[in-house]
Amino acid sequence: MMVETAPLGRFQYQRLELKRWVPAFLSSHKTLFTVLWIAAFASVFVWQRNVVGGGFAVFWRVPMRPMPRLRPVAFNLTDFGGVGDGVTLNTEAFERAVLAISKLGKKGGGQLNVPPGRWLTAPFNLTSHMTLFLADDAVILGIEDEKYWPLMPPLPSYGYGREHPGPRYGSLIHGQNLKDVVITGHNGTINGQGQTWWKKYRQKLLNHTRGPLVQIMWSSDILIANITLKDSPFWTLHPYDCKNVTIRNVTILAPVIGAPNTDGIDPDSCEDMIIENCYISVGDDGIAIKSGWDQYGIAYGRPSMNILIRNLVVRSMVSAGVSIGSEMSGGVSNITVENLIVWSSRRAVRIKTAPGRGGYVRHITYRNLTFDNVRVGIVIKTDYNEHPDEGYDRKAVPKLEDISFTGVHGQGVRVPVRIHGSEDIPVRNVSFRDMSVGITYKKKHIFQCAFVQGRVIGTIFPAPCENLDRYDEQEHLIKHSVSQNLTDIDYDF
């Protein structure tokens, strides 16, 4: 945004005039007192505005930033009859706008601007070559009554609604078989108003699985940036079987307690994806990489692969900051998680699976992890026994291999490492390097292992379990492990 500046000559003239005027003005004690009183009164207004969050914005209104034009054609939601009063239902306005943009694909698509206001709506679909742009102070509100939410078939790689058999509720903002879609803005908000859904879920009043806040399926070239996603009924942002997805500068919020299954971002059978520079504080996993559930995921056969997650701050009091699984039956590979801070959480990073999943988790790299007041830092769990039905193959065991941790630091951690492999699902080729984590418990088995093979390079703290080979900093073998099958898992702390 261009800002007009005064010419230098005029500015110098004003300074000279000010020097002549100020001494004469302040010669009056009464006037000086009045000036100081007005300044103090104004400072109270400014302070109250900062504390209350804009309660006196009418006096101090900053000009709204203009909507940038990111497409050849741009519309405002008000052009289609939208009313941002938080009461009027705007579903038809969104649908008319999307229909107009759908006709512009050959011309480069169109942009839908959502101005400041509270725009209540039922679920609606996006279209290809579309930019959805939310102004600052723009809030898209999901209607709370589930009768407005359409039912959809279960995901083919799940074969089940996830919470109930049969169909599931669709997402508030949805897209299928799309290309070139952007959701962005001046940090406007998409609010699912999930409180009603969470209450009904706890009271077992829902007959179908709750819907995500934003779900994009079978699509490519997706960018989601510079927005806030809040209070989803279920998973917040769910890219499903998508390619070339970028999620950047996104804030995702839900209560850390009492907001069940409000995962932040769930890449599901996705390929070539970047998640970066995000803040996530939710009621379940901050990020959970998935690829289908048991026999349905094995049959669908679409892995999640080539995913980079970096520069995140995450909080999860119920689950983990960044998870892989537990639904990973299509396979997960080539994942990098780096520059991650997890604070005041139950777990920091976790891989979870079970017999019956099949698939694999391999070539996983963690770098520069910071844990601050976390119950368990690193978790690999192989008995996460949740299944869609009894039709799963109990002999379909996943493979876990080639997982490295480099640069793990932090404080206030109860159990820094818990790797719980099993005889049927051993964990292979795990490595640790440059690790120093301040612990809150002084028990013997702080670094817990079972059925794991791998190595420790250099000196790390706390002392590693005996299952792992020891190497020096130059990667020369110092000591072979006593037994890779040793078990010292202690869930009592």
Side-chain angles (χ1 to χ4, degrees):
M1 183 173 65
M2 299 295 294
V3 179
E4 184 181 355
T5 57
L8 183 59
R10 176 183 166 191
F11 176 70
Q12 290 174 330
Y13 172 78
Q14 290 174 334
R15 288 184 63 187
L16 290 171
E17 287 297 301
L18 188 63
K19 288 181 178 179
R20 295 191 192 103
W21 175 76
V22 168
F25 182 78
L26 296 182
S27 62
S28 167
H29 294 290
K30 182 177 181 181
T31 304
L32 177 60
F33 177 81
T34 303
V35 169
L36 293 174
W37 186 88
I38 292 173
F41 187 74
S43 69
V44 172
F45 267 89
V46 173
W47 173 79
Q48 287 184 320
R49 179 179 183 271
N50 291 335
V51 172
V52 177
F56 294 93
V58 65
F59 296 99
W60 311 96
R61 190 69 179 178
V62 176
M64 186 182 70
R65 287 182 288 178
M67 302 278 200
R69 178 170 289 201
L70 307 177
R71 301 279 183 181
V73 179
F75 302 106
N76 289 331
L77 186 60
T78 52
D79 298 338
F80 300 90
V83 179
D85 59 5
V87 178
T88 303
L89 193 61
N90 291 281
T91 315
E92 291 185 1
F94 279 108
E95 290 174 343
R96 286 192 292 264
V98 172
L99 178 60
I101 292 172
S102 71
K103 300 175 182 179
L104 300 172
K106 294 182 179 179
K107 298 180 181 180
Q111 174 173 321
L112 176 58
N113 293 327
V114 182
R118 295 171 63 81
W119 308 89
L120 183 68
T121 182
F124 63 92
N125 294 321
L126 304 176
T127 189
S128 293
H129 310 294
M130 174 180 179
T131 296
L132 179 64
F133 192 98
L134 282 73
D136 42 4
D137 297 327
V139 182
I140 296 176
L141 290 171
I143 193 167
E144 296 173 279
D145 191 341
E146 67 265 24
K147 73 180 181 183
Y148 288 93
W149 291 62
L151 290 175
M152 303 180 66
L155 296 168
S157 60
Y158 286 69
Y160 189 92
R162 192 59 184 86
E163 294 178 333
H164 295 275
R168 60 194 176 90
Y169 288 108
S171 58
L172 178 64
I173 297 178
H174 193 80
Q176 291 186 193
N177 302 301
L178 304 182
K179 186 177 179 62
D180 178 25
V181 174
V182 178
I183 304 175
T184 188
H186 288 146
N187 200 33
T189 299
I190 301 172
N191 187 335
Q193 301 201 101
Q195 293 83 356
T196 299
W197 292 92
W198 308 332
K199 182 178 179 180
K200 289 181 178 180
Y201 169 77
R202 288 191 293 265
Q203 295 176 345
K204 302 186 185 303
L205 297 176
L206 296 171
N207 296 319
H208 306 286
T209 299
R210 294 165 287 154
L213 188 62
V214 178
Q215 185 178 60
I216 311 292
M217 303 173 62
W218 303 305
S219 301
S220 63
D221 305 330
I222 309 299
L223 171 63
I224 300 173
N226 304 318
I227 60 170
T228 294
L229 305 176
K230 184 178 180 182
D231 292 347
S232 175
F234 190 56
W235 298 344
T236 303
L237 177 52
H238 186 209
Y240 180 83
D241 199 351
C242 292
K243 293 183 179 180
N244 192 21
V245 179
T246 299
I247 300 170
R248 177 184 298 135
N249 299 330
V250 173
T251 300
I252 302 180
L253 304 172
V256 292
I257 300 294
N261 309 108
T262 50
D263 295 15
I265 305 171
D266 285 6
D268 204 336
S269 295
C270 287
E271 182 178 347
D272 300 335
M273 186 170 181
I274 296 177
I275 302 171
E276 62 183 358
N277 305 331
C278 296
Y279 178 85
I280 303 172
S281 178
V282 290
D284 208 299
D285 290 314
I287 292 176
I289 301 172
K290 303 174 181 292
S291 65
W293 202 8
D294 288 0
Q295 71 272 29
Y296 303 104
I298 294 171
Y300 193 71
R302 302 280 205 284
S304 279
M305 58 189 295
N306 305 335
I307 298 175
L308 172 60
I309 299 169
R310 63 186 178 190
N311 307 334
L312 266 60
V313 178
V314 185
R315 187 184 188 200
S316 172
M317 289 284 288
V318 172
S319 198
V322 175
S323 285
I324 297 174
S326 73
E327 308 93 331
M328 39 60 65
S329 300
V332 177
S333 67
N334 298 336
I335 310 297
T336 298
V337 180
E338 62 184 13
N339 304 334
L340 171 72
I341 298 174
V342 183
W343 67 285
S344 293
S345 297
R346 187 174 182 86
R347 306 170 188 90
V349 296
R350 176 166 68 160
I351 297 171
K352 46 185 176 177
T353 185
R357 291 288 192 270
Y360 53 83
V361 176
R362 64 189 181 209
H363 308 316
I364 313 298
T365 301
Y366 297 93
R367 285 194 295 260
N368 193 20
L369 310 180
T370 301
F371 307 152
D372 184 6
N373 188 26
V374 172
R375 185 180 179 92
V376 186
I378 295 167
V379 183
I380 300 178
K381 185 175 177 64
T382 59
D383 59 351
Y384 201 86
N385 285 308
E386 256 189 329
H387 304 281
D389 53 45
E390 292 300 316
Y392 70 96
D393 180 1
R394 288 157 176 79
K395 296 181 180 180
V397 294
K399 294 182 178 180
L400 307 182
E401 58 190 6
D402 301 331
I403 304 165
S404 68
F405 300 88
T406 303
V408 182
H409 303 282
Q411 60 183 356
V413 179
R414 182 177 292 193
V415 180
V417 177
R418 179 177 284 154
I419 302 177
H420 194 172
S422 68
E423 188 172 1
D424 292 330
I425 311 175
V427 182
R428 299 298 188 201
N429 195 24
V430 178
S431 67
F432 292 88
R433 186 170 196 161
D434 181 21
M435 178 174 179
S436 178
V437 175
I439 55 179
T440 59
Y441 277 56
K442 304 298 182 183
K443 293 196 174 185
K444 179 180 179 182
H445 299 304
I446 293 293
F447 201 121
Q448 301 181 7
C449 300
F451 292 93
V452 55
Q453 173 269 326
R455 60 181 183 165
V456 173
I457 302 170
T459 301
I460 71 170
F461 181 84
C465 58
E466 296 296 325
N467 307 58
L468 303 174
D469 297 334
R470 301 295 302 272
Y471 288 75
D472 63 19
E473 291 288 355
Q474 289 70 43
E475 301 191 27
H476 299 136
L477 179 64
I478 297 175
K479 178 183 178 183
H480 271 300
S481 65
V482 176
S483 171
Q484 297 164 7
N485 300 337
L486 282 174
T487 299
D488 58 8
I489 305 295
D490 185 358
Y491 284 106
D492 291 336
F493 73 102

